[in-house]
Amino acid sequence: MSELRRTDLILLLVAVVWGSSYLSAQTATSALPVLLVLFARYALSALACLGLVALGRGPRRWTRDELRAGVPLGVTQVAVLLVETYGVAHTSAANAGLIISLTIVLTPLLDRGGRHGRGRGLPPVFFAAAGVCVLAVGLLMSGNGFHAPRLGDLLMLGAALVRAVHVVLVGRLTVGRAIRPLHLTTVQTLVGTALFLPAGVVGLPTLARADGGTWVQLVYLALFCSVFAFLVQTWAVQRTSASRASLLLGTEPVWAMAVGIALGGERLTALTALGAALMVGGTYWGQAVERAHRAAAPNEIDAEGAADVRGRAATPTGV
């Protein structure tokens, strides 16, 4: 299996994990305040990351590049989760899934001068593929009904924009630099823990009284939806383009629907089945367009590849 295909599969696994996070987040926020859920998620994530750093091989100290990238990425990551979690709590799952999928379109718009673009915008056919994906999400979620935009919908729109900015920044701040994904993820979780610490201190008695089921959701959100997903996302974006990563991660609503059917008692209708098929087809179509777009500028890619090799050679191995 080529490195590119292996990276694609790992990004799809992240999409599966994030798709399952909707149910976990809704369950947790029904029992605890949103800010307290986010504090617990970040604090548990930070403890896990620090433990992995301590057990890992190689230098444990953070480099200047890791700190310079980790702090701003930690802030944008907090913004994504904050707005998204409030949005999910104030709108339907149907509208939340549809609006957040707009990240698929917003990311390549913001990434025009990114890793493989060199200022060359993606061709219009890419946005046609992205449009198919957005239509697919609409079909996937149509079974739950739609309503006029309200606070939660506007929050999810903001979350889609901030998520697109975050994905682009991950690529621009890490590519070609000696950055270890685990150390970068640790910095991000520490930034998030610090930002939500006031809410955690105030709500600590409430958190201590949470039942076992709530803690299971919090641990899942922290270890799988945060540590694993953020670590793999950073690793993968360093090896592909932000636009390609966003398209693969955009299959998240498919997996959210699958989790809803398997665990939430939702029914699979003809429209949702058609939406799932369109999402898969649109994703592969967009991959092909993005791959052809990069291949059209071989000299730029060869020069960039040489820079990447030098950057990876300077990157310590291990975690």
Side-chain angles (χ1 to χ4, degrees):
M1 183 184 296
S2 68
E3 181 180 357
L4 183 61
R5 292 301 182 190
R6 184 165 55 250
T7 302
D8 287 350
L9 287 176
I10 293 174
L11 281 170
L12 280 175
L13 181 57
V14 172
V16 173
V17 171
W18 276 347
S20 66
S21 70
Y22 284 101
L23 183 60
S24 293
Q26 288 182 341
T27 302
T29 54
S30 67
L32 297 171
V34 169
L35 293 180
L36 193 56
V37 169
L38 290 172
F39 167 74
R41 178 174 180 174
Y42 268 105
L44 292 171
S45 300
L47 289 174
C49 286
L50 289 171
L52 290 174
V53 169
L55 295 174
R57 300 176 181 177
R60 296 187 178 93
R61 296 184 62 182
W62 281 261
T63 65
R64 183 174 300 178
D65 282 341
E66 289 164 350
L67 293 174
R68 285 179 174 176
V71 172
L73 290 178
V75 173
T76 57
Q77 187 184 85
V78 164
V80 172
L81 289 180
L82 180 64
V83 180
E84 184 177 291
T85 305
Y86 269 115
V88 170
H90 290 85
T91 190
S92 66
N95 281 36
L98 175 61
I99 296 171
I100 200 66
S101 71
L102 294 177
T103 302
I104 302 169
V105 178
L106 293 172
T107 300
L109 283 174
L110 297 175
D111 194 38
R112 291 185 62 183
R115 176 173 181 172
H116 296 300
R118 301 291 188 184
R120 298 168 61 248
L122 288 163
V125 68
F126 177 89
F127 297 97
V132 170
C133 293
V134 174
L135 173 62
V137 177
L139 293 174
L140 283 170
M141 302 298 181
S142 62
N144 295 327
F146 296 95
H147 49 70
R150 54 191 183 190
L151 175 61
D153 303 319
L154 297 176
L155 288 172
M156 293 306 300
L157 179 60
L161 177 59
V162 179
R163 182 189 280 193
V165 171
H166 178 73
V167 173
V168 171
L169 282 178
V170 169
R172 296 193 181 182
L173 295 179
T174 62
V175 170
R177 293 181 173 86
I179 291 178
R180 294 160 293 182
L182 175 58
H183 285 64
L184 179 65
T185 302
T186 304
V187 174
Q188 292 174 273
T189 59
L190 289 172
V191 169
T193 302
L195 291 176
F196 289 117
L197 183 59
V201 171
V202 172
L204 195 58
T206 302
L207 186 62
R209 292 193 298 269
D211 59 27
T214 301
W215 275 104
V216 169
Q217 303 300 331
L218 293 174
V219 170
Y220 179 75
L221 287 170
L223 299 186
F224 290 91
C225 304
S226 293
V227 176
F228 168 76
F230 296 151
L231 182 60
V232 170
Q233 183 190 34
T234 301
W235 174 86
V237 172
Q238 286 180 296
R239 289 159 175 78
T240 185
S241 71
S243 298
R244 187 182 183 90
S246 179
L247 198 65
L248 288 164
L249 294 174
T251 61
E252 175 185 328
V254 173
W255 311 114
M257 179 62 67
V259 171
I261 293 171
L263 301 178
E266 298 181 8
R267 293 183 300 172
L268 179 65
T269 66
L271 285 179
T272 55
L274 176 60
L278 286 176
M279 175 60 79
V280 174
T283 298
Y284 279 98
W285 182 18
Q287 285 180 355
V289 172
E290 191 268 350
R291 186 165 55 248
H293 175 69
R294 287 189 289 115
N299 293 333
E300 293 179 358
I301 294 174
D302 288 343
E304 184 180 63
D308 283 352
V309 170
R310 291 194 296 271
R312 291 174 192 172
T315 304
T317 58
V319 295

